[in-house]
Amino acid sequence: MKTYVARRLLALVPVALVVATVAFVLMHLAPGDPASVIAGPDASADDVQKLSRQLGLDAPLPVQLVRWYGRLVRGDLGQSIFLRKPVTEAILDRVEPTLLLTVFAITISVAIGVPAGVISARYHNSATDQAFMMAALVGVSIPNFLLGLLLILCFSVWLGWFPVAGYSPLEYGYLKTLRSLVMPAFALGLVQSALIARVARSSMLDILREQFITAGRAKGLSERAVVYKHALKNAMIPTVTIIGISFAILISGAVVVEQVFNIPGLGRLIISAVLRRDYPVIQGVVLCIAGIYMLINLAVDLSYIVFDPRVRYQ
Amino acid sequence: MSTEGARRPLGVLPGSRETATAAIPPLAVDAPVRRRGPGWLTLLARRKTTLIGAVLMLLMLAVGVLAPMIGGDPGHMDVAGRLKAPSRAHWLGTDDVGRDVWSRVIYGARLSLLVGAAVVVFSFAVGVVCGMVAGYYRRLDNVVMRVMDGLMAFPAIVLAIALMAALGASVVNVIVAIGVVYSPRVARVVRGSVLVIRETSYVEAARALGVADLSVMTRHVLPNCLSPVIVQASFVFAAAVLTEAALSFLGVGVPPYVPSWGVILAEGRLYIQQAPWLVIYPGVAIMLTIFGLNLFGDGLRDVLDPKIRGLTSERQSQT
Amino acid sequence: MRHAFRVPAALVMLLLSLGLVAPLAAQEQPRMGGVFKAAMIGEPPTLDLHKTTAVIVQQITWHVYETLYTYDKNYNAIPLLVESHAVSDKGRTYTFKLRQGVKFHNGKEMTAADVVASLQRWGRLATPGKQFWKNVEGVEAKDPSTVVILLKDTSGALLMGLARPNNGAVIYPKEIVDAAGDNDVKDIIGTGPYRFIEHKPDRHVKLARFKEYAARSDAPDGFGGKRTAYLDEILFVPVPDVAVRLAGVETGEYQLGKQIQQDQLDRMKTMPGVVPGIIKPEGWSTAVLNHKQGVMSDRRIRQAFQAALDMEPIMAAGFGNKAFYRIDPGMSFPEQPQWHSTAGGELYNQKNPAKTKKLLQEAGYSGTPVRWITTKEYQWMFKNALVAKQQLEAAGFKIDLQVVDWATLVQRRNKPEAWDVFSTGITFNPEPAFSTAAACGWPGWWCHEDKEQWMAALGRETDHKKRKAIWDKVQQIFYDDVGRVKLGDFFGLEAIRKEVHGYRPTNEMNLWNVWLK
């Protein structure tokens, strides 16, 4: 088991390196000299030169790259051009809504997806199964922002149950915050629940075909015990995988949905940074999200230690 | 190792050379199944759902190609007639500057078709080359796949946004950005296939005979790893359409005066109360297109490679 | 002139039927307290009022900073920080007696030294300031409460220039002026009824009541007279999404939503709790051309641009409701009959693409894309540009429309190499001598020898009839030389909660003397 953990961690290093390099390349892909972008339109040529030297942008690229790695290790993501504060601070300012939205969305997607998938598998090939799976396929085909717009149309415009958009920060009350997040969370969560349902169903079906299930039935176990006690536990392995991955996906999905519902989270931060050409922020947010992605995948891999006994004996 | 593919269709195989970040699509572990009997086209046609998917796809293709004939002028602004509900004069209504929504949806299909096809070409060109090289040459495998893994560590939409920030808003840049995002995923699938095919006896024989590497690759390996790759085409196409719509909706995709479904949705969003048709029709268009591509792709996959799952309809919704 | 905000008849009927009118009338007593949230179109590009003509900066900061004079309800200049003034030396010397006991937010008392330093900085950095300073010989502090301005020649507009809120001659403490130099001021300290608390970009700008505010004793008149800070706190929240601004006022999250799309008026009338506010006129929409660098520096190409445009669809697209825009060539508004002019009007709204093609050919236009920067934060700017782009392209131009956020546009327009055309609105201005549209130093850099001389004369002249004649001449040059391209007049719509009392919808937007029920 220890080798497994060690190998997972070690495997992370080259990927992290590539991620950091890609982020560096992104900044330098942009047309124009980064120093003059940072200095702003009112700066004179001298100011730009000074800034260039100050930021080390006049050094050859490989040197800049190494220094960039160093800064990343220290957690220094640079300074936002527009917001005039460290990028890390800007990100921390915005993380609350995105995180809340993601957690809410994943709760919805698991609460809907897992039972739907299990029921589908239990009543395999019945009308329920077909209906669920068609719904799932439709769900997977709707972009989350479109679903968000349709939800607004239905529940805000026609029925008036929820506010059209906007986010109520936690400091003004939990309930208000939750209410403002219901629709965006559903927009994100429903699409993911379709995916989770499909996976839960297919892994349940695979398990149900296994020999130990047949043995259990032969032994005289009730269908209920067979499905829910034995099959489900085993089917959880890939399902937990997909839930873990969903968390990462939802964070990036939040980027789009935040725009639909005007939620001031990481998504809005990166979009406004793009429109303002605030490259340090773009870089910082992208790195942050990629980092979370990597960590979640690591966590999923490590979770196999708990779920899959075979892993422990590697 | 080979039995675990069936037990764990989507997980990472422990102890494999894949890293944690590559939890999305796993290795292909079986050789592509070659069938005797009815050809794949017949099998495809037998499934109702796939047929529906194919019809939807062809519909989109037809609309996109015939746009200049049936589309009218998507840019013409009849400002006096703005925000009009669907009527005989304007089948799907008009938008906030008086442009015909039918026109814009039709030309939006054309744009999606263009972007989808171009992204497939781009990502396959890059992905096949990288995947082949990685699968064939052990020494390069590590390097190439680390880079691919690194790129895949960024969620698709986030990487696409960052690339668009660097490149600037234009249709070509959107194609390049989305192409770059999906190339690693294609490369991964190709590599998986190549790894397996490499070990087959006829390839070994060819190499033993001293046939040049390039020749082996193009003549023996490539044709055999094509079927999983072809399955990917449908999903990559759908992913490209979806990602372009998302980028344009966010305002970082195509320039705002290009008719794109994402752009129409973004503009329609502000008028959702007075003019819901601005959201409904492009929305339906997107859904039908992606739905069709997914159905077709699923069918294709089930027919050609039931045991191999690369980028699936599940995965490509993750923008 | 400006209208007080009208309560629509429907709302009154509703209130009557609910029996609320009687208690409402009894509760007209202003109440201290409350937090006011104003939904603005976006982030302010800076908080240093000397540095920008962007209206959003003035709307926020003039609660914190004050000028020596301000406007009364008829847009005449009345004293604010000044006690009295005297004119001598045949109109070339102005002696101002400052009010005593006016405190800055840092506790320091305002003296002539602060005024002199601030005026000098304004004269150096602000667009109207630079224009004003052309006639200034010097400014000095005669004693701690007296400031003297020495002019080169008489001035017809000095007090109006000092009263102007936009890019205004606000008074900062001397230490802050000295520390900042030409860069943005670091600390936001003024003498106004509200003091600056914090600026969290993309969240809010927060102001709080300044308890030691030295209010004037005369009755409120327009923006002058006694200013009372009834509200405890004011939050200016950037809400770039216009649907969310309006929705926020509807739910009561915001008390005021600026810049609502004009075609929402009918919907707003049906919303309980929301009162529409109409600002008439708000400004005129314009495309500013780059005279200094790029393809628009050629007069023939500018004239080609001007000739192609058909203003009706451009304005209709931007403002929807016909009641909210007007096709008119004047650089001043018909609401200002003493300044309104139709000089040069034959070059306005020409709708002549054939002429455009000819001019482009003469100028040898080779299809270089014209970079037009605009923004969606002011919805109408984008729509105006979109329709204009189509008309111009049909006439032979190639337009590269770049959409950015407002704050970026304001920054980028300072770089002559970065653009050829940008979108903006010229807001209502009672004194043409300091017109932004006519200013040479303002982005666009329209510097025309004759026009400069006429503008200087306008500043000096004191006889109104002669001033009007000069303004006519300036406007003629505005059209002949294509200084800027005026698209049309527009009126603004904003959404106000019915709990808000004492508020008059104006472009400048003041929240003193405003209270929440």
Side-chain angles (χ1 to χ4, degrees), chain A residues 214-248:
Chain A
T214 329
R217 286 204 183 105
K219 245 173 67 180
L221 287 176
S222 73
E223 190 62 23
R224 201 197 175 114
V226 164
V227 171
Y228 293 114
K229 249 181 79 178
H230 296 282
L232 191 58
K233 240 186 337 180
N234 283 283
M236 272 300 104
I237 300 167
T239 312
V240 164
T241 308
I242 202 69
I243 291 174
I245 295 173
S246 294
F247 196 87

Short mmCIF file of all heavy atoms in Angstrom, two decimals, chain A residues 214-248:
data_model
loop_
_atom_site.label_atom_id
_atom_site.label_comp_id
_atom_site.label_asym_id
_atom_site.label_seq_id
_atom_site.Cartn_x
_atom_site.Cartn_y
_atom_site.Cartn_z
N THR A 214 -24.86 -14.37 -8.15
CA THR A 214 -25.64 -15.57 -8.45
C THR A 214 -25.60 -16.53 -7.27
O THR A 214 -26.61 -17.13 -6.90
CB THR A 214 -25.06 -16.28 -9.69
OG1 THR A 214 -24.49 -15.29 -10.55
CG2 THR A 214 -26.14 -17.04 -10.42
N ALA A 215 -24.39 -16.60 -6.68
CA ALA A 215 -24.24 -17.48 -5.51
C ALA A 215 -25.15 -17.02 -4.38
O ALA A 215 -25.82 -17.83 -3.74
CB ALA A 215 -22.78 -17.47 -5.05
N GLY A 216 -25.17 -15.72 -4.18
CA GLY A 216 -26.01 -15.18 -3.12
C GLY A 216 -27.47 -15.51 -3.34
O GLY A 216 -28.18 -15.91 -2.43
N ARG A 217 -27.88 -15.37 -4.59
CA ARG A 217 -29.29 -15.66 -4.89
C ARG A 217 -29.57 -17.14 -4.67
O ARG A 217 -30.61 -17.50 -4.13
CB ARG A 217 -29.60 -15.31 -6.35
CG ARG A 217 -29.69 -13.81 -6.60
CD ARG A 217 -30.55 -13.51 -7.83
NE ARG A 217 -30.57 -12.07 -8.10
CZ ARG A 217 -29.89 -11.49 -9.09
NH1 ARG A 217 -29.13 -12.22 -9.90
NH2 ARG A 217 -29.97 -10.19 -9.26
N ALA A 218 -28.61 -17.94 -5.11
CA ALA A 218 -28.78 -19.39 -4.94
C ALA A 218 -28.88 -19.74 -3.46
O ALA A 218 -29.64 -20.62 -3.07
CB ALA A 218 -27.61 -20.12 -5.58
N LYS A 219 -28.11 -19.02 -2.68
CA LYS A 219 -28.14 -19.25 -1.24
C LYS A 219 -29.50 -18.95 -0.66
O LYS A 219 -29.84 -19.39 0.43
CB LYS A 219 -27.09 -18.34 -0.57
CG LYS A 219 -25.96 -19.08 0.10
CD LYS A 219 -24.87 -18.18 0.61
CE LYS A 219 -25.37 -17.31 1.75
NZ LYS A 219 -24.25 -16.44 2.22
N GLY A 220 -30.28 -18.11 -1.34
CA GLY A 220 -31.61 -17.81 -0.85
C GLY A 220 -31.74 -16.41 -0.28
O GLY A 220 -32.73 -16.09 0.36
N LEU A 221 -30.74 -15.60 -0.54
CA LEU A 221 -30.85 -14.21 -0.05
C LEU A 221 -31.98 -13.51 -0.78
O LEU A 221 -32.23 -13.76 -1.94
CB LEU A 221 -29.56 -13.45 -0.31
CG LEU A 221 -28.35 -13.79 0.55
CD1 LEU A 221 -27.15 -13.00 0.06
CD2 LEU A 221 -28.64 -13.47 2.01
N SER A 222 -32.64 -12.60 -0.08
CA SER A 222 -33.70 -11.84 -0.74
C SER A 222 -33.09 -10.93 -1.81
O SER A 222 -31.93 -10.55 -1.70
CB SER A 222 -34.45 -10.98 0.27
OG SER A 222 -33.62 -9.90 0.67
N GLU A 223 -33.92 -10.65 -2.79
CA GLU A 223 -33.44 -9.78 -3.88
C GLU A 223 -32.95 -8.45 -3.31
O GLU A 223 -31.98 -7.88 -3.76
CB GLU A 223 -34.60 -9.55 -4.87
CG GLU A 223 -34.19 -8.87 -6.17
CD GLU A 223 -33.17 -9.68 -6.96
OE1 GLU A 223 -33.09 -10.91 -6.77
OE2 GLU A 223 -32.44 -9.08 -7.76
N ARG A 224 -33.65 -8.04 -2.31
CA ARG A 224 -33.33 -6.76 -1.69
C ARG A 224 -31.92 -6.77 -1.10
O ARG A 224 -31.14 -5.87 -1.32
CB ARG A 224 -34.35 -6.52 -0.58
CG ARG A 224 -34.45 -5.08 -0.22
CD ARG A 224 -35.13 -4.91 1.13
NE ARG A 224 -35.08 -3.52 1.46
CZ ARG A 224 -36.14 -2.74 1.56
NH1 ARG A 224 -37.33 -3.24 1.38
NH2 ARG A 224 -36.00 -1.47 1.86
N ALA A 225 -31.65 -7.87 -0.36
CA ALA A 225 -30.32 -7.99 0.24
C ALA A 225 -29.26 -8.06 -0.84
O ALA A 225 -28.21 -7.44 -0.75
CB ALA A 225 -30.26 -9.22 1.13
N VAL A 226 -29.56 -8.81 -1.86
CA VAL A 226 -28.60 -8.97 -2.96
C VAL A 226 -28.24 -7.62 -3.56
O VAL A 226 -27.08 -7.27 -3.73
CB VAL A 226 -29.18 -9.89 -4.06
CG1 VAL A 226 -28.39 -9.76 -5.35
CG2 VAL A 226 -29.18 -11.33 -3.58
N VAL A 227 -29.30 -6.89 -3.91
CA VAL A 227 -29.04 -5.63 -4.60
C VAL A 227 -28.41 -4.61 -3.66
O VAL A 227 -27.36 -4.05 -3.93
CB VAL A 227 -30.35 -5.05 -5.18
CG1 VAL A 227 -30.13 -3.64 -5.70
CG2 VAL A 227 -30.84 -5.94 -6.31
N TYR A 228 -29.08 -4.38 -2.57
CA TYR A 228 -28.63 -3.25 -1.76
C TYR A 228 -27.45 -3.56 -0.88
O TYR A 228 -26.61 -2.71 -0.67
CB TYR A 228 -29.80 -2.71 -0.93
CG TYR A 228 -30.86 -2.08 -1.82
CD1 TYR A 228 -32.12 -2.64 -1.93
CD2 TYR A 228 -30.57 -0.97 -2.61
CE1 TYR A 228 -33.07 -2.08 -2.76
CE2 TYR A 228 -31.51 -0.42 -3.45
CZ TYR A 228 -32.76 -0.98 -3.53
OH TYR A 228 -33.69 -0.44 -4.37
N LYS A 229 -27.34 -4.75 -0.38
CA LYS A 229 -26.21 -4.99 0.51
C LYS A 229 -24.95 -5.34 -0.26
O LYS A 229 -23.92 -4.76 -0.05
CB LYS A 229 -26.56 -6.11 1.51
CG LYS A 229 -26.70 -5.58 2.93
CD LYS A 229 -27.00 -6.67 3.93
CE LYS A 229 -25.73 -7.42 4.28
NZ LYS A 229 -25.98 -8.47 5.29
N HIS A 230 -25.08 -6.28 -1.16
CA HIS A 230 -23.84 -6.78 -1.77
C HIS A 230 -23.44 -6.04 -3.03
O HIS A 230 -22.32 -5.61 -3.16
CB HIS A 230 -23.98 -8.27 -2.06
CG HIS A 230 -24.13 -9.07 -0.81
ND1 HIS A 230 -23.07 -9.38 0.00
CD2 HIS A 230 -25.23 -9.59 -0.20
CE1 HIS A 230 -23.50 -10.08 1.05
NE2 HIS A 230 -24.80 -10.22 0.94
N ALA A 231 -24.38 -5.91 -3.91
CA ALA A 231 -24.03 -5.31 -5.20
C ALA A 231 -23.65 -3.85 -5.05
O ALA A 231 -22.65 -3.38 -5.60
CB ALA A 231 -25.19 -5.46 -6.18
N LEU A 232 -24.46 -3.16 -4.29
CA LEU A 232 -24.26 -1.72 -4.18
C LEU A 232 -22.88 -1.39 -3.64
O LEU A 232 -22.18 -0.53 -4.17
CB LEU A 232 -25.34 -1.14 -3.26
CG LEU A 232 -25.43 0.39 -3.25
CD1 LEU A 232 -25.67 0.92 -4.64
CD2 LEU A 232 -26.54 0.84 -2.32
N LYS A 233 -22.48 -2.12 -2.59
CA LYS A 233 -21.18 -1.82 -1.99
C LYS A 233 -20.08 -1.92 -3.03
O LYS A 233 -19.18 -1.09 -3.09
CB LYS A 233 -20.90 -2.82 -0.86
CG LYS A 233 -20.71 -2.13 0.46
CD LYS A 233 -20.30 -2.96 1.62
CE LYS A 233 -20.59 -4.43 1.56
NZ LYS A 233 -20.14 -5.12 2.76
N ASN A 234 -20.15 -2.97 -3.83
CA ASN A 234 -19.11 -3.14 -4.83
C ASN A 234 -19.21 -2.13 -5.96
O ASN A 234 -18.21 -1.72 -6.52
CB ASN A 234 -19.19 -4.55 -5.41
CG ASN A 234 -18.60 -5.55 -4.45
OD1 ASN A 234 -17.38 -5.65 -4.34
ND2 ASN A 234 -19.44 -6.26 -3.73
N ALA A 235 -20.44 -1.79 -6.28
CA ALA A 235 -20.60 -0.84 -7.38
C ALA A 235 -20.18 0.56 -6.96
O ALA A 235 -20.04 1.44 -7.80
CB ALA A 235 -22.06 -0.84 -7.84
N MET A 236 -19.98 0.71 -5.68
CA MET A 236 -19.62 2.05 -5.20
C MET A 236 -18.24 2.48 -5.68
O MET A 236 -17.97 3.66 -5.78
CB MET A 236 -19.65 2.08 -3.67
CG MET A 236 -21.00 2.42 -3.10
SD MET A 236 -21.60 4.04 -3.64
CE MET A 236 -22.79 3.57 -4.85
N ILE A 237 -17.39 1.49 -5.95
CA ILE A 237 -16.00 1.86 -6.30
C ILE A 237 -15.96 2.80 -7.51
O ILE A 237 -15.47 3.92 -7.42
CB ILE A 237 -15.14 0.62 -6.52
CG1 ILE A 237 -15.12 -0.20 -5.23
CG2 ILE A 237 -13.74 1.02 -6.93
CD1 ILE A 237 -14.56 -1.58 -5.40
N PRO A 238 -16.47 2.35 -8.65
CA PRO A 238 -16.41 3.29 -9.78
C PRO A 238 -17.31 4.49 -9.56
O PRO A 238 -17.05 5.59 -10.07
CB PRO A 238 -16.90 2.46 -10.96
CG PRO A 238 -17.55 1.27 -10.38
CD PRO A 238 -17.01 1.04 -9.03
N THR A 239 -18.36 4.27 -8.79
CA THR A 239 -19.28 5.39 -8.57
C THR A 239 -18.60 6.49 -7.76
O THR A 239 -18.74 7.66 -8.05
CB THR A 239 -20.54 4.90 -7.84
OG1 THR A 239 -21.01 3.73 -8.51
CG2 THR A 239 -21.61 5.96 -7.87
N VAL A 240 -17.87 6.08 -6.74
CA VAL A 240 -17.14 7.08 -5.94
C VAL A 240 -16.13 7.80 -6.83
O VAL A 240 -15.93 9.00 -6.73
CB VAL A 240 -16.44 6.42 -4.75
CG1 VAL A 240 -15.39 7.36 -4.17
CG2 VAL A 240 -17.44 6.07 -3.68
N THR A 241 -15.52 7.03 -7.72
CA THR A 241 -14.59 7.65 -8.67
C THR A 241 -15.28 8.77 -9.42
O THR A 241 -14.78 9.89 -9.51
CB THR A 241 -14.12 6.62 -9.71
OG1 THR A 241 -13.64 5.48 -9.02
CG2 THR A 241 -13.05 7.20 -10.59
N ILE A 242 -16.46 8.44 -9.94
CA ILE A 242 -17.11 9.44 -10.78
C ILE A 242 -17.61 10.61 -9.93
O ILE A 242 -17.64 11.75 -10.38
CB ILE A 242 -18.24 8.80 -11.63
CG1 ILE A 242 -18.53 9.68 -12.84
CG2 ILE A 242 -19.51 8.60 -10.85
CD1 ILE A 242 -17.42 9.69 -13.84
N ILE A 243 -17.94 10.33 -8.68
CA ILE A 243 -18.37 11.44 -7.82
C ILE A 243 -17.19 12.37 -7.57
O ILE A 243 -17.31 13.59 -7.63
CB ILE A 243 -18.95 10.91 -6.49
CG1 ILE A 243 -20.28 10.21 -6.75
CG2 ILE A 243 -19.14 12.06 -5.50
CD1 ILE A 243 -20.86 9.55 -5.53
N GLY A 244 -16.05 11.76 -7.32
CA GLY A 244 -14.86 12.57 -7.10
C GLY A 244 -14.54 13.41 -8.32
O GLY A 244 -14.29 14.61 -8.24
N ILE A 245 -14.60 12.76 -9.46
CA ILE A 245 -14.32 13.49 -10.69
C ILE A 245 -15.37 14.57 -10.90
O ILE A 245 -15.08 15.67 -11.36
CB ILE A 245 -14.29 12.54 -11.89
CG1 ILE A 245 -13.13 11.57 -11.72
CG2 ILE A 245 -14.17 13.30 -13.18
CD1 ILE A 245 -13.10 10.48 -12.74
N SER A 246 -16.60 14.25 -10.56
CA SER A 246 -17.67 15.24 -10.73
C SER A 246 -17.38 16.50 -9.95
O SER A 246 -17.68 17.59 -10.41
CB SER A 246 -19.01 14.67 -10.27
OG SER A 246 -19.41 13.63 -11.10
N PHE A 247 -16.82 16.33 -8.76
CA PHE A 247 -16.51 17.51 -7.96
C PHE A 247 -15.60 18.44 -8.74
O PHE A 247 -15.82 19.64 -8.83
CB PHE A 247 -15.84 17.07 -6.66
CG PHE A 247 -15.83 18.15 -5.63
CD1 PHE A 247 -16.90 18.32 -4.78
CD2 PHE A 247 -14.74 19.00 -5.51
CE1 PHE A 247 -16.89 19.33 -3.82
CE2 PHE A 247 -14.73 20.00 -4.57
CZ PHE A 247 -15.80 20.17 -3.72
N ALA A 248 -14.59 17.83 -9.33
CA ALA A 248 -13.66 18.65 -10.11
C ALA A 248 -14.36 19.26 -11.31
O ALA A 248 -14.15 20.43 -11.64
CB ALA A 248 -12.49 17.78 -10.56
#
